[in-house]
Amino acid sequence: MIAATGLNILTGFTGQISLGHAAFVGVGAYTSAILITRLGFSFWLSIPFAGFLAAIAGMFIGIPSLRIKGLYLCIATLAAQFIFEFIFVHWESMTRGITGINIPPPRLGGIVFNTEKEFYWITLFFVVIGIAYARNLARTRMGRAFVAIRDRDLSAEIIGINLLRYKLSAFAISSFYAGVAGALWVSFLKVVTPDHFPFMLSIQYLAMIIVGGLGNVLGSIFGAVFMTLIPEVLNYLSDVVKAFSPGKEEIFVPLKEVIFGLSIVLFLILEPRGLAEIWNRIKSFFRLWPFPTETRQAERR
Amino acid sequence: MRRFQESYIKDEAIFQSPFVKVWLGAFFLFLLLFPFLADAYLLYMANMVGLR
């Protein structure tokens, strides 16, 4: 949810498509891991550093966004993804390459956050802060500027929005979220390797916000839940099939990829505003019952 | 029931109606109780969802 919310600020609110989000998660993850293991930082202190370094990396990658737009920006961020992946693997003196870095569990006073149950509180804390900030950001001057840039950046510039400042801010905030998510993730897994941040993860983040709902904070929540649980549901289904007719469960392995791709395509065609819009429709159905909902009426017209 | 705001204070309110307040409260209560009800697998998934 944290990283998906970050990408939603950049792609959903500001309209700058990024295919390099996993790289910024990786920058945060490695920053935190290196600070904890080499410089003896505490877990808590490493989180803001991870966020800020990822934000700097994001701003650097965001500089071309002033000149290049749409698909071309897509390719520029894609390049960033592969450059950072290359650095993670080959800068062995710093990142230890493919062997990775092991990280001790976080501590607070005498409490060690070692198990899933204990780490849940850390996750909950950062998720609540992240979602609350993003939700409020949309209502501020900056949030309005982001939306104006998304809708038409030339018009936005004419009404006095400094494109350089706001586009780079969007990249910075988005990457900050990614960096914090990465730092938390490595402390949860207790190990970091370059394999954790493949190009496929960037696609997954993009899929999350498309399925959940672009430009909607609630959308990143739904998207993250949906994309994380779908493989688990399919695993469960394959177990059920295995119990009834052994051998047939093999079709579920390739089916995972198919359902993943199909869900993105179907959401783009049938519900471009994502799961969040379905949720809103359910809410207005109950609010307006027994009258037909507003959206339905709008569709008829 | 009135479905529109009559003042800027109401418009800026985080809890737009008592209904929202109750459900959001219930949801946060669920989030706080969740680790005591769920097993390790569910907690792992919850962490993964949160950190994604």
Side-chain angles (χ1 to χ4, degrees), chain A residues 209-214 266-275 277:
Chain A
I209 60 168
I210 291 171
V211 169
L214 283 166
L266 287 179
F267 266 102
L268 279 175
I269 296 170
L270 300 175
E271 191 55 89
R273 294 168 80 184
L275 287 167
E277 185 61 24

Side-chain angles (χ1 to χ4, degrees), chain B residues 2-49:
Chain B
R2 286 189 183 126
R3 283 280 162 222
F4 49 86
Q5 271 79 33
E6 290 176 342
S7 70
Y8 285 118
I9 295 166
K10 276 186 192 167
D11 202 31
E12 285 176 349
I14 291 175
F15 306 113
Q16 299 275 334
S17 69
F19 185 76
V20 173
K21 207 185 237 175
V22 169
W23 277 108
L24 212 60
F27 179 65
F28 274 108
L29 197 67
F30 169 73
L31 284 182
L32 290 177
L33 291 177
F34 181 74
F36 303 104
L37 306 171
D39 57 5
Y41 170 73
L42 275 180
L43 278 165
Y44 176 80
M45 290 317 297
N47 274 309
M48 287 309 283
V49 167

Side-chain angles (χ1 to χ4, degrees), chain A residues 124-134 177:
Chain A
L124 187 65
F125 176 74
F126 282 98
V127 165
V128 168
I129 291 180
I131 299 288
Y133 180 80
Y177 270 80

Side-chain angles (χ1 to χ4, degrees), chain A residues 72-260:
Chain A
Y72 299 93
L73 182 65
C74 221
I75 298 300
T77 52
L78 178 67
Q81 163 75 36
F82 284 106
I83 290 167
F84 278 114
E85 243 185 279
F86 186 86
I87 292 172
F88 297 153
V89 176
H90 292 280
W91 193 11
E92 284 186 12
S93 58
M94 191 56 107
T95 66
R96 290 201 206 149
I98 49 169
T99 42
I101 305 172
N102 290 307
I103 301 133
R107 287 163 190 279
L108 184 64
I111 311 163
V112 184
F113 295 89
N114 210 357
T115 63
E116 284 91 1
K117 189 174 176 178
E118 286 146 357
F119 206 91
Y120 175 83
W121 302 112
I122 301 180
T123 310
L124 187 65
F125 176 74
F126 282 98
V127 165
V128 168
I129 291 180
I131 299 288
Y133 180 80
R135 196 70 204 247
N136 275 313
L137 183 72
R139 311 199 294 180
T140 60
R141 184 188 177 86
M142 193 185 255
R144 305 280 193 231
F146 287 169
V147 174
I149 292 171
R150 176 191 67 192
D151 289 345
R152 189 112 177 93
D153 60 351
L154 187 64
S155 317
E157 198 171 17
I158 288 167
I159 60 170
I161 290 164
N162 184 344
L163 283 190
L164 176 72
R165 193 178 143 205
Y166 283 107
K167 276 188 178 175
L168 288 189
S169 307
F171 267 98
I173 294 171
S174 152
S175 306
F176 188 90
Y177 270 80
V180 170
L184 293 170
W185 198 20
V186 289
S187 279
F188 178 60
L189 297 176
K190 300 190 187 74
V191 65
V192 53
T193 67
D195 296 344
H196 286 126
F197 318 102
F199 173 55
M200 198 56 202
L201 185 64
S202 286
I203 302 281
Q204 276 192 9
Y205 282 130
L206 214 49
M208 274 177 208
I209 60 168
I210 291 171
V211 169
L214 283 166
N216 194 331
V217 178
L218 197 60
S220 12
I221 300 175
F222 284 135
V225 172
F226 185 83
M227 279 293 154
T228 317
L229 294 190
I230 274 284
E232 299 302 314
V233 170
L234 287 174
N235 280 344
Y236 177 75
L237 279 181
S238 79
D239 283 349
V240 171
V241 170
K242 197 178 181 181
F244 283 101
S245 54
K248 292 268 170 61
E249 77 276 4
E250 282 172 17
I251 58 158
F252 273 94
V253 180
L255 207 60
K256 236 179 260 177
E257 310 286 322
V258 174
I259 289 180
F260 184 74

